[in-house]
Amino acid sequence: MTNVQQNIETPFNEEFCTRLEYRICHELEKSTDPELKGFWCDGVSCFPTDNQLTKKQVNDNRKIITKAWIGKDGQGEYQATIHFGRKALSKYAKGLDLTTTIPELKSDSDWLEIDIENKSIEIKLL
């Protein structure tokens, strides 16, 4: 089964990735980190490599590694590791919408970590 076929059958889909992209943009906009000033996100790929989208893979690894485009021009390619918390794992196993597992804008949690030097981003879903 290809990633495209799996994408249709999993909650890690285009709608979720688009919502995540917008949420990252809002987080970057309100960031007080001077290194991130002017940064924005121009997308999160909903097509990770390998067979990461199977329920077994997500349950066993508790994460999906994909790409995100971030930077002052939104075009820097970053490795995005999306970590699944308990709520996200449960919803994924049941095939339910993951958008409610993206932390809210008003949350003070450190759900997002960006390493500019290594071009990586860590995202922690609820």
Side-chain angles (χ1 to χ4, degrees):
M1 186 180 302
T2 67
N3 282 342
V4 173
Q5 290 169 319
Q6 287 179 355
N7 187 51
I8 293 166
E9 299 170 12
T10 69
F12 191 84
N13 55 32
E14 191 173 342
E15 179 183 342
F16 169 75
C17 290
T18 299
R19 293 260 184 105
L20 185 58
E21 169 194 341
Y22 289 136
R23 180 62 185 88
I24 292 168
C25 280
H26 288 296
E27 190 73 23
L28 289 169
E29 190 176 302
K30 73 173 195 133
S31 175
T32 56
D33 185 337
E35 288 188 322
L36 297 176
K37 186 166 180 69
F39 271 49
W40 60 287
C41 180
D42 193 29
V44 176
S45 175
C46 57
F47 301 108
T49 58
D50 305 322
N51 289 318
Q52 295 184 70
L53 296 178
T54 66
K55 289 179 182 179
K56 179 174 179 12
Q57 283 289 96
V58 170
N59 187 57
D60 291 352
N61 297 317
R62 294 177 159 37
K63 66 183 175 185
I64 290 175
I65 299 171
T66 191
K67 294 178 188 171
W69 291 270
I70 299 173
K72 291 192 185 240
D73 63 357
Q75 298 303 304
E77 190 173 301
Y78 281 61
Q79 176 179 296
T81 304
I82 301 169
H83 299 274
F84 283 67
R86 287 198 321 214
K87 183 177 177 183
L89 281 172
S90 175
K91 286 187 172 282
Y92 199 90
K94 296 172 184 172
L96 300 175
D97 179 26
L98 288 175
T99 58
T100 59
T101 67
I102 300 170
E104 293 184 23
L105 190 56
K106 294 176 183 150
S107 73
D108 291 328
S109 67
D110 49 343
W111 70 278
L112 183 67
E113 293 177 29
I114 298 175
D115 183 338
I116 297 170
E117 194 172 307
N118 294 310
K119 292 200 168 247
S120 66
I121 180 171
E122 302 278 330
I123 300 162
K124 297 173 190 153
L125 301 178
L126 302 175

